[in-house]
Amino acid sequence: MAKVKFGNGISEIRGSIAGNTYSRGSYGAYIRNRVTPRNPNTAAQQAVRAGLADISQTWRGLTSAQREQWNTQAPNFSNTNIFGDSQALTGFNFYGKINKNIQVAEGSAITVPPVLASVTGITSMSVVADTTAGTMAMTFSPAIPATQKLVVWATAPQSAGKNFVKSEYRIIQILDSSDSSPADLAAAYIVKFGALPGVNSKVFVKVRATVTLSGLVGTDISNNDIAV
């Protein structure tokens, strides 16, 4: 079902209606034919589904007092919907969001909600893909604190003319305080995609700092490079 944002008439519409999908890109709103994605049921997809099922199960295992703590703290946090508007979270949504962040960063689930706090994450990141040399160096700053992990996403090789990606990102590596800059992502990239990007193809990389004891995250930082 499509989601519509009303102003003086319809100002935005997202989602699908009758075979058409409505969205917005770098150059404004657009409509395309709706495509049902293939579901290959890969090991990675199974792991994600199992993780979400585990979060739902552990929520049901909380005491009433514990769930009430999450319900009470949830209004201090918010989520951004498809239109970019801020929405309040329910206690269950808040619990799921925080523990999903921890799960992705390979941490241990928490039952007590965190207190809202800012996260000093990565402020700059760049990547250089040198396929000829067999390296993919990611330079980042500041250093990763002992309390955080850095989740690294990358894309399969893309056309050099492509400037925007979203669903193409895949997690390739989790870095911690023992990993210094520059980090060579080559081995992790090859494990995920089979080979380094071909010469003159583009690769996108995105990172997110996660506080493993609270599930709070920093701002995503992304960059890209054309392989040589």
Side-chain angles (χ1 to χ4, degrees):
M1 180 179 295
K3 295 183 178 180
V4 180
K5 182 176 182 180
F6 293 96
N8 294 321
I10 296 175
S11 62
E12 287 191 64
I13 180 169
R14 305 287 179 88
S16 299
I17 299 176
N20 295 319
T21 294
Y22 302 81
S23 191
R24 175 176 290 276
S26 301
Y27 300 100
Y30 65 86
I31 305 172
R32 60 173 172 80
N33 290 331
R34 181 182 182 183
V35 177
T36 301
R38 184 171 62 92
N39 181 15
N41 200 30
T42 64
Q45 288 175 323
Q46 292 178 38
V48 169
R49 291 165 185 159
L52 292 174
D54 182 64
I55 288 172
S56 294
Q57 183 176 359
T58 56
W59 169 259
R60 292 193 295 271
L62 297 181
T63 65
S64 296
Q66 287 174 320
R67 284 195 291 270
E68 185 57 31
Q69 284 184 301
W70 289 91
N71 290 331
T72 300
Q73 192 67 257
N76 296 322
F77 293 76
S78 63
N79 199 23
T80 302
N81 67 12
I82 198 168
F83 299 113
D85 298 328
S86 179
Q87 289 183 322
L89 296 173
T90 65
F92 172 68
N93 293 151
F94 178 35
Y95 176 85
K97 180 177 181 178
I98 288 296
N99 278 293
K100 181 60 179 176
N101 290 342
I102 294 173
Q103 198 176 77
V104 168
E106 300 178 345
S108 299
I110 60 175
T111 57
V112 177
V115 175
L116 183 62
S118 60
V119 175
T120 302
I122 299 302
T123 57
S124 67
M125 182 273 287
S126 62
V127 60
V128 176
D130 190 338
T131 300
T132 303
T135 61
M136 184 181 291
M138 183 182 74
T139 301
F140 59 89
S141 65
I144 305 170
T147 55
Q148 294 184 13
K149 288 189 178 179
L150 191 65
V151 183
V152 183
W153 286 261
T155 67
Q158 305 291 317
S159 165
K162 192 165 188 176
N163 294 314
F164 176 78
V165 292
K166 185 176 181 181
S167 61
E168 293 89 343
Y169 280 116
R170 300 290 183 271
I171 294 175
I172 63 167
Q173 195 165 357
I174 309 295
L175 303 179
D176 60 29
S177 58
S178 67
D179 296 296
S180 58
S181 176
D184 190 358
L185 307 179
Y189 189 92
I190 291 170
V191 168
K192 188 65 180 182
F193 297 110
L196 290 173
V199 175
N200 294 326
S201 63
K202 182 180 285 188
V203 61
F204 293 78
V205 174
K206 177 178 72 172
V207 298
R208 177 186 300 161
T210 301
V211 181
T212 51
L213 294 180
S214 69
L216 299 178
V217 298
T219 302
D220 289 3
I221 300 292
S222 61
N223 215 317
N224 61 76
D225 187 51
I226 296 177
V228 296

